[in-house]
Amino acid sequence: MSHHKWWKDGVVYQVYPASFKDSNDDGVGDIPGITSKLDYIQSIGVDILWVCPMFDSPQIDMGYDVSDYEKVYPPYGTVEDMQTLIDESHSRGMRIILDLVVNHTSDQHQWFKDSRSSKSNPKRDWYIWRPAKYDAEGCRRPPNNWRAMFTGSAWTWDDDTQEYYLHLFAPEQPDLNWENPECRNAIYQSAMEFWLRKGVDGFRIDCVNMYSKGDLRDAPVTEPDRETQNAGLVWCNGPRMDEYLGEMNAVHSKYDAMSVGECPFTPDLEKVKSYVSAKNKRLNMVFQFDVVETGSSHASKFETLPSETWLLDFKAAVTRTQKLISGNDAWTTAFTENHDWSRSISRFGSDKPEYRVASGKMLALMLITLSGTLFVYQGQELGMVNAPLSWPIEEYKDLDAANYYEQVSRKTNGDAKALAEAKAVIQFIARDNARTPMQWNANSNAGFSTAKPWMRVHDNFRELNAELQEQDGASVLSFWQRMLRLRKSYANLFVHADFELLGEPSTKIFMYSKSWESEKALVVLNFTEEVQLLRRPQGFGNAMLLVSTADSDGKMLAPFEGRVYIAA
Ligand code: TEU
């Protein structure tokens, strides 16, 4: 059937190279380590491998600061190691996509070194340089009021050439100037075609809607007490986005490659649809952040925590991302974890020992019944959870959390209570929670490395690891393996069908239906630690139970129980 495509029906498994498997015992994961685990990855039941940035980088932002697109970060291996991983993936009938990080480079990229060397350098215009503004007192000010995603101004002053340069993220991540055609062509050649020619099947495109930023105007002042303003809604989705995406699609099309773009700060669903409509030939699909941002502000993940009614927001977010494909030729994605967000069981289920497995299975059941391309993040298939609150702040290595903690310390003059609260927020939501080493077995360092790992291994690795779960039919891993097979055997109903939110606005139960021609599925998920009464909606009175995470079919749902019924 024409609606089935490898990048629609295939399930993607995201690997974070630093934390997956260390093959040369230096404490850091690497490419040969990933290759050595391809059989495990395939055994989960996934079809496509997404490898996070493995390009050469000073690692300010864990590789999202690329210093050479055509070289591999040496501790991860070599270009030849990547060719082996590509070939070994293909020999198993799997596909492989890489991260395309081209909104910015590292400040150590030769392009930026040339650009900053002088105002007359041919590459000066490959980055975004602007003169300072001066206030009434004659003090130098940045060109606008934008706040960078990792706190502080989005502009850094360069004394040598007496201008500011723009960086939406860290100062070590200068934004490329997509207005410059030579710069764009170099990106297409060096970051895209170099790898597409080696057989890569597509890209997860970082910050895909940030390349066109318009006239760099000030962001509306929503926080009058702050010097800088959250400007995501201003710098995303600028006037030339459609043009740039058309050029990128032309490159992808030469290789029949897949594209999944990261699309934050885009509440306008029509704008999202314009990017992912098949006939527009821009992107195959995007990640919207509605679901993963539940309980957190998109301005900064550290600024808010879940309220009692968070499930209402969560359900509305899932509905928005599912409705994206209703009645049109657009496509969507389904995910609750990645390297930028903490573990879904800790956020949306319960990582208490008595509920970790149950809520992990319930969240898995939700994901495998959602339409769109499904993404599973390394360790999610094991039900890995956030690091415990007992970890000292020094164990958190990511600049995102470190900058936030430092900002609180500065603002409160090191107030102990404020720092304890900040640490609790970090424990709940920080990206580091997704970057603890993969837990392979109960050996030292969870079998990740024989050397001291770059990041602390979760303390629960002896009872939570792949080797144990492969031998346990009741494990989260075994459940994911069964459910991914089920998703494939009900592909129309689970992958392609229309989603309908059901039931009264409950803060305890999430109930929805999926419909494909005459077939319908009812999904009922108990998001609480309590038993809940199941009220089957009209049309499902005689429906057949397909799955229960608690192997029951009574009137009461067990804590964190999920069920799927099928009605023909
Ligand atoms: O993230 C872009 C982004 O939208 C950020 O909000 C991101 O979600 C992060 O959590 C901010 O707290 C991409 C990558 O996924 C992220 O790992 C990088 O740090 C970022 O771009 C810069 O390349």
Side-chain angles (χ1 to χ4, degrees):
M1 299 276 278
S2 63
H3 65 280
H4 290 292
K5 294 195 186 301
W6 66 267
W7 48 268
K8 288 189 171 183
D9 297 82
V11 177
V12 186
Y13 186 77
Q14 179 189 358
V15 167
Y16 198 68
S19 307
F20 194 65
K21 175 65 182 156
D22 171 18
S23 72
N24 60 356
D25 302 326
D26 60 358
V28 177
D30 47 53
I31 307 298
I34 300 171
T35 304
S36 76
K37 291 294 181 181
L38 276 175
D39 290 339
Y40 165 78
I41 293 170
Q42 188 165 41
S43 76
I44 301 167
V46 298
D47 312 278
I48 304 158
L49 182 61
W50 158 20
V51 182
C52 279
M54 41 14 94
F55 315 102
D56 204 10
S57 163
Q59 301 296 329
I60 298 292
D61 184 15
M62 292 301 289
Y64 282 94
D65 50 318
V66 178
S67 55
D68 188 332
Y69 292 105
E70 301 179 24
K71 195 163 166 275
V72 172
Y73 174 53
Y76 289 166
T78 63
V79 172
E80 292 68 32
D81 290 327
M82 276 305 296
Q83 189 64 66
T84 302
L85 176 59
I86 293 165
D87 297 344
E88 287 295 322
S89 299
H90 289 164
S91 69
R92 289 168 174 77
M94 293 175 69
R95 288 183 165 89
I96 179 170
I97 66 173
L98 303 185
D99 231 297
L100 182 62
V101 188
V102 291
N103 173 68
H104 47 269
T105 65
S106 161
D107 62 350
Q108 301 307 307
H109 197 294
Q110 193 55 49
W111 296 349
F112 187 68
K113 289 179 178 174
D114 293 348
S115 178
R116 75 178 317 163
S117 63
S118 84
K119 284 186 177 174
S120 58
N121 183 282
K123 289 196 174 60
R124 183 69 175 183
D125 187 42
W126 284 35
Y127 292 83
I128 299 169
W129 295 93
R130 291 291 185 279
K133 286 181 177 172
Y134 290 86
D135 63 21
E137 290 73 49
C139 293
R140 188 179 69 214
R141 314 294 299 154
N144 67 28
N145 64 357
W146 295 0
R147 181 187 313 143
M149 288 304 290
F150 298 135
T151 71
S153 170
W155 297 88
T156 290
W157 179 250
D158 175 60
D159 245 350
D160 296 343
T161 57
Q162 292 290 297
E163 281 193 324
Y164 280 96
Y165 69 85
L166 178 67
H167 52 83
L168 302 186
F169 292 89
E172 297 87 348
Q173 294 170 291
D175 276 53
L176 285 159
N177 176 20
W178 276 68
E179 307 266 340
N180 181 300
E182 287 77 40
C183 175
R184 293 204 304 277
N185 286 326
I187 288 169
Y188 303 149
Q189 284 303 317
S190 176
M192 296 180 73
E193 298 225 40
F194 178 84
W195 293 101
L196 289 167
R197 281 196 299 273
K198 294 183 183 308
V200 158
D201 299 288
F203 291 104
R204 173 269 187 189
I205 308 173
D206 195 59
C207 307
V208 77
N209 61 339
M210 299 187 191
Y211 305 156
S212 172
K213 303 168 173 70
D215 57 9
L216 306 182
R217 70 185 58 186
D218 268 354
V221 177
T222 53
E223 301 155 285
D225 60 328
R226 296 188 66 164
E227 262 185 64
T228 60
Q229 300 299 314
N230 172 34
L233 291 170
V234 173
W235 71 51
C236 282
N237 306 314
R240 297 184 66 180
M241 271 316 308
D242 187 61
E243 174 195 349
Y244 300 158
L245 293 178
E247 288 181 358
M248 292 180 92
N249 182 271
V251 177
H252 278 118
S253 303
K254 280 166 59 178
Y255 299 86
D256 190 24
M258 173 262 255
S259 57
V260 47
E262 187 192 29
C263 190
F265 300 112
T266 311
D268 173 8
L269 286 188
E270 290 315 307
K271 170 60 73 179
V272 180
K273 285 178 194 169
S274 74
Y275 290 153
V276 297
S277 152
K279 65 181 175 305
N280 288 357
K281 298 188 185 314
R282 291 304 183 262
L283 297 165
N284 293 134
M285 61 192 115
V286 295
F287 297 131
Q288 294 161 273
F289 287 93
D290 306 53
V291 173
V292 287
E293 283 179 350
T294 303
S296 168
S297 84
H298 62 251
S300 158
K301 56 171 50 103
F302 301 108
E303 281 176 7
T304 50
L305 276 175
S307 65
E308 283 311 304
T309 59
W310 72 272
L311 187 59
L312 298 180
D313 299 336
F314 183 87
K315 296 196 285 191
V318 171
T319 303
R320 276 196 304 277
T321 53
Q322 289 289 294
K323 285 299 187 188
L324 192 75
I325 65 172
S326 294
N328 59 45
D329 66 351
W331 194 243
T332 190
T333 55
F335 68 103
T336 52
E337 290 191 23
N338 64 33
H339 63 292
D340 284 336
W341 294 92
S342 57
R343 291 292 182 173
S344 57
I345 291 175
S346 300
R347 289 187 68 198
F348 307 127
S350 168
D351 54 21
K352 292 177 187 168
E354 62 270 36
Y355 297 123
R356 180 184 66 79
V357 172
S359 61
K361 289 179 178 177
M362 182 272 289
L363 289 166
L365 188 61
M366 178 191 81
L367 278 173
I368 66 108
T369 60
L370 290 181
S371 289
T373 301
L374 172 57
F375 288 73
V376 180
Y377 180 70
Q378 71 177 49
Q380 182 174 7
E381 79 277 11
L382 301 178
M384 283 178 68
V385 293
N386 284 1
L389 198 53
S390 57
W391 278 20
I393 192 67
E394 293 72 27
E395 300 291 3
Y396 293 85
K397 308 295 184 192
D398 181 23
L399 82 164
D400 201 14
N403 288 359
Y404 166 67
Y405 193 78
E406 166 56 31
Q407 185 190 44
V408 170
S409 180
R410 230 184 9 259
K411 271 169 67 173
T412 65
N413 200 18
D415 175 72
K417 183 172 178 297
L419 286 177
E421 285 165 2
K423 171 109 169 20
V425 170
I426 287 169
Q427 187 277 334
F428 178 72
I429 201 95
R431 309 195 297 184
D432 303 77
N433 287 300
R435 302 173 181 191
T436 60
M438 186 68 178
Q439 298 171 197
W440 296 107
N441 54 46
N443 301 334
S444 68
N445 302 319
F448 163 72
S449 172
T450 57
K452 182 178 186 316
W454 71 278
M455 184 171 181
R456 180 169 168 176
V457 175
H458 198 297
D459 309 83
N460 65 9
F461 76 90
R462 288 181 187 78
E463 60 274 6
L464 196 169
N465 62 68
E467 187 174 88
L468 269 183
Q469 294 197 26
E470 286 178 317
Q471 297 150 24
D472 174 4
S475 67
V476 176
L477 173 61
S478 299
F479 186 77
W480 265 105
Q481 289 168 328
R482 288 200 303 277
M483 288 305 104
L484 288 177
R485 287 194 294 272
L486 197 67
R487 180 175 172 83
K488 286 221 174 352
S489 49
Y490 283 85
N492 285 333
L493 203 43
F494 290 164
V495 181
H496 296 268
D498 275 348
F499 170 99
E500 204 63 46
L501 183 62
L502 297 176
E504 75 292 350
S506 157
T507 59
K508 298 176 168 45
I509 300 278
F510 185 7
M511 187 155 66
Y512 55 88
S513 68
K514 299 292 295 296
S515 310
W516 182 271
E517 293 168 0
S518 64
E519 233 184 350
K520 284 170 78 81
L522 169 68
V523 182
V524 192
L525 308 167
N526 178 3
F527 270 81
T528 71
E529 297 179 8
E530 291 80 35
V531 172
Q532 301 292 342
L533 175 65
L534 167 59
R535 289 187 180 83
R536 284 202 212 184
Q538 205 159 20
F540 287 97
N542 301 321
M544 173 197 76
L545 178 70
L546 184 68
V547 184
S548 156
T549 57
D551 294 327
S552 77
D553 185 15
K555 288 179 72 64
M556 305 306 283
L557 291 168
F560 293 112
E561 180 182 1
R563 288 188 197 166
V564 179
Y565 291 89
I566 299 287

